[in-house]
Amino acid sequence: MQKRIDSPIPTLFDAMEHDGFAFVTADVMQPLLQASGELSDWNAFTASWSQLGPDPYLAATGRQRRRRHATYAATAHGKVELAPHQPHYQSLQYNRLQGDIERWFEPVEPDVANGASLRTILAFCNGFFSSLAPGIATWHVEVHQFRIEASSTEAGEPTPEGSHRDGVDFVLVLLIDRHNIASGTTTIHAPDGKPLGDFTLTHPFDSALIHDPRVFHGVTPVTPLVAGEPAHRDVLVVTFHAKP
């Protein structure tokens, strides 16, 4: 089942409230972002994915993952401020491979963390997620730049932990680029394992919006279309979690 959103915010609200997720195509998402701010540094923003460091915490699987990380504090419908660099933490309940440890990743580069494109994406998320949860006054926000690499001998694993929840309130997954890869299909499941939908982020700005407490999500491994040539999937993941 592929869920396509062809109209703006009210339909997205309905999809999130009814299904717990929405697939947003680039032709819808890009104008929504532009209504929230500028994307004037988009080329430099996307180029920064070539400067990601390796993920040192993956052992037997997923060594093809590169990433950077940043944390923000947000006031609902208000300011989103960059916070001091800090570790990413998930409990074993939400991450059976790397749970219950503080994971330190290289920080998002300052020009990216404070740049127009990321600020615009965060402004959209703040407005959209705050409208879905009007009782939340402040948010803990995390930003993850991911590059998943694949080779002819080893598939790239966007979610080596399998279908999972992140332990937050809301998630945005925004496709930045995919080069010479097949698959990478996002799957959505109910907590009891029932499939709820699947879709593939194919074009830059294609996005998934997820209400994390309600549904599980995962991404199938990616493989090269042409063996021996570079192959990668680049995404930005933004999570919003209510501050206590």
Side-chain angles (χ1 to χ4, degrees), residues 7-22:
S7 56
I9 292 291
T11 301
L12 291 179
F13 283 159
D14 291 344
M16 292 291 284
E17 291 177 349
H18 183 266
D19 301 323
F21 73 99

Side-chain angles (χ1 to χ4, degrees), residues 62-222:
R63 285 200 179 277
Q64 315 88 338
R65 186 160 72 180
R66 297 180 177 275
R67 66 193 295 177
R68 287 182 183 265
H69 172 248
T71 304
Y72 296 79
T75 302
H77 298 289
K79 290 183 178 181
V80 182
E81 298 181 342
L82 184 64
H85 191 50
Q86 55 194 269
H88 175 55
Y89 178 84
Q90 292 173 295
S91 70
L92 278 172
Q93 176 185 359
Y94 296 107
N95 190 326
R96 57 187 175 84
L97 292 182
Q98 299 100 33
D100 285 357
I101 59 173
E102 292 186 345
R103 289 183 286 162
W104 287 92
F105 301 107
E106 293 185 15
V108 174
E109 294 176 320
D111 288 349
V112 176
N114 294 298
S117 292
L118 187 49
R119 288 289 180 180
T120 291
I121 293 165
L122 293 174
F124 165 78
C125 289
N126 191 11
F128 186 76
F129 295 148
S130 294
S131 295
L132 284 169
I136 297 174
T138 55
W139 297 99
H140 173 77
V141 180
E142 295 194 43
V143 167
H144 306 264
Q145 292 179 284
F146 286 106
R147 167 166 286 185
I148 306 301
E149 298 171 330
S151 70
S152 57
T153 58
E154 198 168 11
E157 296 182 277
T159 55
E161 65 271 42
S163 185
H164 66 284
R165 289 184 296 154
D166 289 331
V168 298
D169 291 287
F170 296 102
V171 181
L172 165 74
V173 182
L174 176 73
L175 183 71
I176 302 300
D177 182 42
R178 42 185 294 149
H179 177 75
N180 188 34
I181 60 164
S183 194
T185 297
T186 299
T187 59
I188 307 291
H189 294 85
D192 63 3
K194 176 184 176 183
L196 299 177
D198 62 81
F199 47 84
T200 303
L201 305 182
T202 304
H203 304 288
F205 294 104
D206 280 355
S207 300
L209 293 164
I210 298 166
H211 188 197
D212 193 66
R214 289 179 56 192
V215 298
F216 285 65
H217 63 280
V219 182
T220 60
V222 296

